[in-house]
Amino acid sequence: MRAARLIRMVLLLQTRASMTAAELARELEVSERTVARDAQALSEAGIPVYADRGRAGGYRLIGGYRTRLTGLARSEAEALFLSGVPGALRDMGLQDTASAARLKVSAALLPSVRDASRSAAQRFHLDAPAWFSEPRTPELLPALADAVWDDRPVLARYRRGGTEVERTLEPYGLVLKAGLWYLCARVADTEAFRVYRIDRFTAVGPGPERFRRDDGFDLPAFWEERAEEFARSVLRCEIVVRLSPEGVRQLPYAVGPASAKEGLGTSGAPDDRGWVTLTVPVESEEVARTQLRGLGPEAEVLAPAALRERCAEDAARTAALYRPPSA
């Protein structure tokens, strides 16, 4: 542990002209006294760490010293490709690995471009979780991430409905979607690939041997296909509506992009007011009733009759709320 910290300290000093004890302590997550002891240990080992005294002082490497400890370990190289998603790295327990990789890369760069990573990080940031939701890291995510990296099967228990199911899975990849983590895995001894929400796992145990990955598996393509299938699978009934031009524009925000795209594909020619009639797939009549409230007077339900009647009741109640009081 200390050896790794000493290497990290040398790399930090190599990438910056000078660092104060407080800055080093913050980066290394130790006390300033530990920084002083580590600097002394490096000096005794022949690494020219020099301490400047005074308020503007700090630690620096002298004599143009360059360490050759810049080779990336495989785990560091893999984590480096995820460094644009800091929250995901933290959730999977890879934050320290990625930090070490970035330091090694920075140490190997020319001084003129050494601050490129810091410069880019101040200009671009990926915030994966959805708005108005508290992101929660599933407790078993680090264990599943280890299994994914190591191509190791897992004996997993997960909640399905009101029961728990046990399966041996070959974990192929992890996906972070709108703040939720999913595992894409093949069920052992089958050709079936499935998607599991990680917060529904209750236990995970690593298998004794690695599995052989299917080289033809494409995680982004697999996820895109399954996500599209899921979005369509929840649309179990259809409604017929008339929409104004403004209603057409707002439809994707009301019912979702997949439902709106399919519905707009059924629209006929607009009438003389620009209104169109279309058949829209929805999850249920009750869900559609809630969604269509957002369109207000820009939408008229034509069928089914029961939904039209409910929407008419909602409109009447809303109108009553805004009716001026009797004189």
Side-chain angles (χ1 to χ4, degrees):
M1 189 71 177
R2 190 190 185 199
R5 188 176 71 241
L6 292 174
I7 292 172
R8 184 174 165 82
M9 183 174 179
V10 173
L11 292 172
L12 283 168
L13 292 175
Q14 186 171 306
T15 56
R16 306 182 196 178
S18 177
M19 294 183 70
T20 66
E23 289 172 336
L24 283 168
R26 185 168 55 253
E27 290 281 354
L28 300 173
E29 298 181 347
V30 296
S31 67
E32 293 185 30
R33 181 171 296 181
T34 299
V35 168
R37 286 199 298 265
D38 286 351
Q40 180 65 30
L42 288 171
S43 181
E44 292 173 356
I47 297 175
V49 178
Y50 182 77
D52 290 315
R53 305 292 181 182
R55 294 182 60 185
Y59 293 91
R60 60 187 175 87
L61 294 173
I62 61 175
Y65 178 83
R66 302 284 297 174
T67 177
R68 301 186 66 84
L69 295 171
T70 53
L72 286 177
R74 180 179 178 85
S75 61
E76 293 171 338
E78 290 169 336
L80 189 61
F81 285 101
L82 292 171
S83 59
V85 197
L89 284 169
R90 182 181 59 252
D91 291 348
M92 290 188 290
L94 296 172
Q95 190 173 25
D96 291 342
T97 302
S99 177
R102 286 193 295 269
L103 272 175
K104 290 183 177 182
V105 170
S106 295
L109 294 174
L110 293 172
S112 59
V113 295
R114 195 167 290 156
D115 67 341
S117 61
R118 196 180 316 152
S119 175
Q122 293 302 318
R123 288 165 173 79
F124 303 98
H125 176 67
L126 175 62
D127 185 9
W131 285 106
F132 313 117
S133 62
E134 185 67 27
R136 296 180 179 177
T137 303
E139 182 180 346
L140 296 174
L141 176 60
L144 287 168
D146 287 343
V148 169
W149 284 119
D150 205 26
D151 292 340
R152 193 171 295 277
V154 294
L155 180 62
R157 293 184 63 84
Y158 64 96
R159 295 186 300 275
R160 188 171 68 184
T163 63
E164 282 197 356
V165 180
E166 189 173 279
R167 291 282 187 276
T168 298
L169 304 175
E170 296 174 354
Y172 268 65
L174 297 170
V175 175
L176 177 60
K177 170 70 172 180
L180 292 175
W181 282 96
Y182 296 86
L183 174 71
C184 301
R186 181 167 60 187
V187 180
D189 301 322
T190 75
E191 297 300 317
F193 283 90
R194 295 177 182 171
V195 176
Y196 302 86
R197 265 184 59 165
I198 292 181
D199 59 2
R200 292 178 181 167
F201 282 90
T202 59
V204 171
E209 298 180 356
R210 292 181 173 86
F211 65 88
R212 185 178 182 85
R213 289 180 68 93
D214 179 355
D215 292 335
F217 179 79
D218 184 331
L219 179 60
F222 171 79
W223 176 259
E224 182 178 3
E225 179 183 344
R226 290 305 173 91
E228 187 174 334
E229 288 177 2
F230 173 76
R232 187 63 186 86
S233 70
V234 299
L235 305 177
R236 298 185 178 91
C237 66
E238 294 180 337
I239 62 173
V240 181
V241 295
R242 288 180 66 241
L243 297 176
S244 70
E246 179 62 16
V248 169
R249 189 186 71 81
Q250 294 184 18
L251 185 64
Y253 305 103
V255 300
S259 181
K261 180 179 179 181
E262 189 166 335
L264 291 170
T266 68
S267 65
D271 62 18
D272 55 359
R273 296 170 54 205
W275 287 58
V276 294
T277 300
L278 51 147
T279 301
V280 181
V282 294
E283 186 173 343
S284 68
E285 289 186 23
E286 193 57 39
V287 170
R289 178 185 178 186
T290 301
Q291 293 172 329
L292 292 173
R293 285 174 186 156
L295 295 179
E298 309 301 332
E300 177 191 3
V301 176
L302 302 179
L307 177 60
R308 177 181 174 86
E309 184 177 337
R310 292 192 192 97
C311 290
E313 292 172 356
D314 291 341
R317 289 172 57 198
T318 301
L321 290 175
Y322 290 94
R323 188 176 299 130
S326 302

